[in-house]
């Protein structure tokens, strides 16, 4: 089957991508379906979604789909494993890959080794999934190849014994947000919502936004639309931003007091994000 390249091209930059849809690399029958969703980023998963005996075949599925015109990120195995080397050898020859999500990142050296293997043209999303990774979040975020951090909630909880309550994970989320901001990279990507019920997803997305995170992993195509809506600027936010910019002027020509400049800066961020996400014009 011949697949048009544009079918698999994300319309938005990875720096503002909200929904990151993970698809098992062992299920090539799902690749086209994932690409047909409105996900901002598709991630073909060579790590946890593929049992060890199936990894060579999964790499073949990824290679064939990308060579056929697909466009996606690939989650590769941890840099401490032999599978990492095989994953990198595969992607080294594939300029079609949008970037890599590096599993279990625990140091800037993991990013450095990956970047040396794949070259500077291949951006890296660093998946932080352990206490050691969290402690090194600042250095990981500061590496030039890192475009975003992502939070591997399940493995982080297994590593630390921390519960799944929002307050229990608040420190970890805040740490990733602050490390990202200090390194001047985009806000981090939160972990997935495993509960299939819409209220659970809405609650989790509200938490994601309140913590300062700007993207979310998902395993379910049916969640993509809601994630995009809840993590993007709402119509109300965009109208507010437009009114503030009109009131104060694009360059702050009509600023009246000390509260106006922060308002204007927030309004411009909302306006610019809407543009980057190609939101439709306001009604």
């Amino acid at each position: 089957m011949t697949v048009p390249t544009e079918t698999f091209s994300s319309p938005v930059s990875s720096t503002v991508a909200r929904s990151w849809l993970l698809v098992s690399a062992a299920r090539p029958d799902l690749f086209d379906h994932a690409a047909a969703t409105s996900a901002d980023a598709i991630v073909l998963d060579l790590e946890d979604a593929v049992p060890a005996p199936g990894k060579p075949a999964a790499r073949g599925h990824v290679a064939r789909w990308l060579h056929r015109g697909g466009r996606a990120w690939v989650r590769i195995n941890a840099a401490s494993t032999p599978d990492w080397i095989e994953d990198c050898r595969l992607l080294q020859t594939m300029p079609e890959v949008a970037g890599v999500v590096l599993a279990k990142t625990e140091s800037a050296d993991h990013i450095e080794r990956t970047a040396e293997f794949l070259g500077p043209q291949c951006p890296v999303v660093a998946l932080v999934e352990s206490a050691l990774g969290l402690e090194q979040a600042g250095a990981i975020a500061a590496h030039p190849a890192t475009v975003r951090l992502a939070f591997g909630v399940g493995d982080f909880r297994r590593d630390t014994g921390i519960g799944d309550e929002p307050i229990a994970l608040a420190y970890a989320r805040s740490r990733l947000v602050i490390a990202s901001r200090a390194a001047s990279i985009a806000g981090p990507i939160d972990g997935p919502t495993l509960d299939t019920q819409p209220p659970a997803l809405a609650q989790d997305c509200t938490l994601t936004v309140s913590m300062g995170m700007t993207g979310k992993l998902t395993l379910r195509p049916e969640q993509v639309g809601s994630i995009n809506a809840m993590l993007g600027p709402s119509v109300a936010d965009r109208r507010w931003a437009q009114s503030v910019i009109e009131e104060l002027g694009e360059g702050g020509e009509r600023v009246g007091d000390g509260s106006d400049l922060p308002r204007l800066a927030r309004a411009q961020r909302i306006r610019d994000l809407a543009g980057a996400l190609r939101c439709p014009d306001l009604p």
Side-chain angles (χ1 to χ4, degrees):
M1 178 177 62
T2 301
V3 182
T5 302
E6 62 268 22
T7 303
F8 306 110
S9 296
S10 173
V12 302
S13 165
S14 61
T15 59
V16 295
R18 301 153 294 183
S19 52
W20 293 71
L21 177 59
L22 288 157
V23 185
S24 170
R27 294 290 308 275
D29 55 308
L30 299 180
F31 294 0
D32 288 0
H33 176 64
T37 70
S38 58
D40 288 340
I42 300 163
V43 184
L44 306 182
D45 187 1
L46 286 169
E47 197 227 3
D48 280 351
V50 183
K55 289 186 188 292
R59 291 186 191 102
H61 298 325
V62 169
R64 284 187 290 274
W65 190 78
L66 292 177
H67 279 317
R68 205 176 68 220
R71 180 76 172 166
W73 290 68
V74 178
R75 177 157 80 160
I76 62 176
N77 286 272
S80 58
T81 68
D83 282 308
W84 171 84
I85 297 173
E86 297 305 317
D87 294 344
C88 287
R89 284 176 178 159
L90 170 73
L91 299 179
Q92 211 176 19
T93 63
M94 304 194 68
E96 303 92 343
V97 69
V100 296
V101 177
L102 179 60
K104 299 177 175 63
T105 308
E106 294 188 325
S107 70
D109 181 63
H110 287 176
I111 304 293
E112 178 66 21
R113 289 165 55 203
T114 301
E116 287 178 353
F117 223 127
L118 299 179
Q121 79 287 347
C122 187
V124 179
V125 169
L127 191 56
V128 176
E129 305 181 77
S130 67
L132 181 56
L134 189 66
E135 285 296 288
Q136 296 296 318
I140 292 168
H143 192 282
T146 304
V147 292
R148 288 176 83 170
L149 303 179
F151 188 24
V153 178
D155 280 325
F156 181 79
R157 290 184 56 223
R158 279 192 290 273
D159 182 54
T160 61
I162 289 174
D164 63 353
E165 299 83 3
I167 188 64
L169 292 166
Y171 170 75
R173 286 189 168 102
S174 293
R175 188 78 179 269
L176 297 180
V177 169
I178 292 167
S180 298
R181 182 69 188 108
S184 298
I185 63 173
I189 303 160
D190 205 356
T193 295
L194 303 182
D195 193 319
T196 60
Q197 299 305 309
L201 178 62
Q203 182 176 335
D204 284 356
C205 284
T206 299
L207 173 66
T208 295
V209 172
S210 72
M211 293 299 301
M213 306 180 94
T214 57
K216 188 168 176 61
L217 299 169
T218 179
L219 307 176
R220 305 181 184 281
E222 64 272 18
Q223 293 182 340
V224 165
S226 295
I227 291 171
N228 286 347
M230 288 185 274
L231 268 60
S234 67
V235 170
D237 286 340
R238 294 168 61 204
R239 284 181 175 149
W240 174 85
Q242 181 176 289
S243 69
V244 169
I245 293 170
E246 290 173 352
E247 173 194 348
L248 300 179
E250 179 68 39
E253 298 85 357
R254 295 182 289 279
V255 164
D257 60 45
S259 69
D260 285 343
L261 280 178
R263 277 201 305 139
L264 179 60
R266 178 171 179 266
Q268 290 170 332
R269 283 197 299 271
I270 292 171
R271 189 261 324 268
D272 293 345
L273 177 59
L277 292 171
R278 303 187 184 182
C279 294
D281 292 338
L282 288 170

